[in-house]
């Protein structure tokens, strides 16, 4: 389960993290991200219509669409039913992990401490989200957590912008970086899909070795 997610993230290198209030923007958003070179995207379950957004984006067929900010087992079930192919959580919750396992869907739980990371490893997870990465201490914190756990790979997310992207991706323990700067709520509200495509293409370019 986690191997599949690790492979996806390693290929994608960037994961646009999307908060989409209006499902009508989902299809053109998916097309803009794909046109910019994104391979996957995370739709946060922070809006009432997140399920419809996941379903509409997944229907475009150009992106592997996952669900983020998954806080409960019920949300995990709804996300997968809507077409989410992976799950991301801001924290480590045993019930959410168990539900993902039962559904056969990979999950990257959020960790912020060594204790949480040890719990994730005990649960069979080796790909985690470091969250919130920048407020926790950025790359210095990432290195401090990665050192005792060489088998774990990270998707740092939280406060990371385009300028910081290459530095994070240069860390050996990092598979991919999650960020919201490529498709902000303001860009979605204005319908500026050309700018979303440009920012995504720029991020993809920055992510290349």
């Amino acid at each position: 389960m986690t191997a599949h997610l690790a492979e996806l993230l390693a290929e994608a290198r960037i994961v646009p993290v999307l908060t989409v209030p209006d499902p009508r923007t989902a299809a053109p958003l998916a097309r803009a991200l794909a046109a910019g070179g994104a391979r996957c995207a995370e739709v946060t379950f922070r809006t009432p219509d997140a399920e419809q957004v996941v379903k509409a984006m997944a229907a475009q067929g150009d992106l592997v669409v996952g669900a983020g900010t998954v806080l409960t087992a019920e949300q995990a079930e709804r996300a997968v039913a809507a077409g989410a192919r992976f799950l991301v959580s801001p924290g480590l919750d045993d019930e959410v992990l168990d539900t993902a396992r039962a559904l056969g869907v990979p999950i990257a739980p959020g960790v912020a401490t060594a204790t949480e990371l040890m719990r994730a490893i005990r649960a069979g997870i080796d790909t985690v989200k470091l969250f919130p990465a920048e407020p926790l201490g950025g790359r210095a914190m990432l290195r401090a957590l990665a050192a005792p756990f060489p088998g774990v790979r990270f998707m740092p997310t939280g406060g990371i912008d385009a300028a910081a992207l290459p530095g994070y991706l240069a860390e050996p323990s990092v598979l991919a970086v999650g960020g919201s700067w490529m498709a902000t709520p303001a860009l979605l509200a204005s319908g500026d899909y050309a700018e979303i495509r440009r920012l995504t293409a720029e991020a993809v370019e920055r992510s290349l070795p």
Side-chain angles (χ1 to χ4, degrees):
M1 182 174 73
T2 54
H4 169 76
L5 180 59
E7 291 169 6
L8 170 65
L9 295 178
E11 291 176 359
R13 301 290 280 166
I14 59 164
V15 181
V17 179
L18 314 168
T19 300
V20 186
D22 187 348
R24 292 173 297 181
T25 67
L29 171 59
R31 291 193 292 268
L33 293 171
R39 298 190 179 191
C40 67
E42 172 190 332
V43 176
T44 67
F45 261 57
R46 298 181 184 179
T47 64
D49 295 317
E51 289 167 86
Q52 286 73 28
V53 174
V54 169
K55 186 174 183 179
M57 291 188 68
Q60 296 301 303
D62 296 321
L63 293 170
V64 178
V65 180
T69 320
V70 176
L71 307 179
T72 66
E74 187 260 347
Q75 283 182 329
E77 292 169 351
R78 285 165 44 207
V80 173
R85 291 173 56 187
F86 64 93
L87 303 174
V88 183
S89 179
L92 184 66
D93 182 88
D94 291 334
E95 188 175 351
V96 173
L97 293 183
D98 290 344
T99 301
R101 187 178 292 110
L103 293 170
V105 176
I107 182 169
V111 300
T113 67
T115 299
E116 291 169 345
L117 189 47
M118 290 172 70
R119 285 184 55 212
I121 293 170
R122 195 179 309 122
I125 301 290
D126 58 14
T127 300
V128 299
K129 168 181 175 174
L130 178 64
F131 180 80
E134 282 289 286
L136 283 173
R139 292 167 63 193
M141 179 62 171
L142 174 69
R143 291 191 201 107
L145 275 180
F149 306 101
V152 175
R153 293 296 176 264
F154 295 85
M155 179 178 69
T157 307
I160 300 173
D161 59 17
L165 175 65
Y168 275 97
L169 288 174
E171 298 292 335
S173 63
V174 170
L175 291 174
V177 171
S180 58
W181 76 88
M182 290 160 273
T184 64
L187 288 172
L188 286 172
S190 64
D192 196 347
Y193 301 107
E195 181 65 2
I196 291 172
R197 182 176 64 249
R198 186 192 72 79
L199 290 170
T200 303
E202 180 185 77
V204 170
E205 180 67 25
R206 284 175 177 262
S207 74
L208 296 176

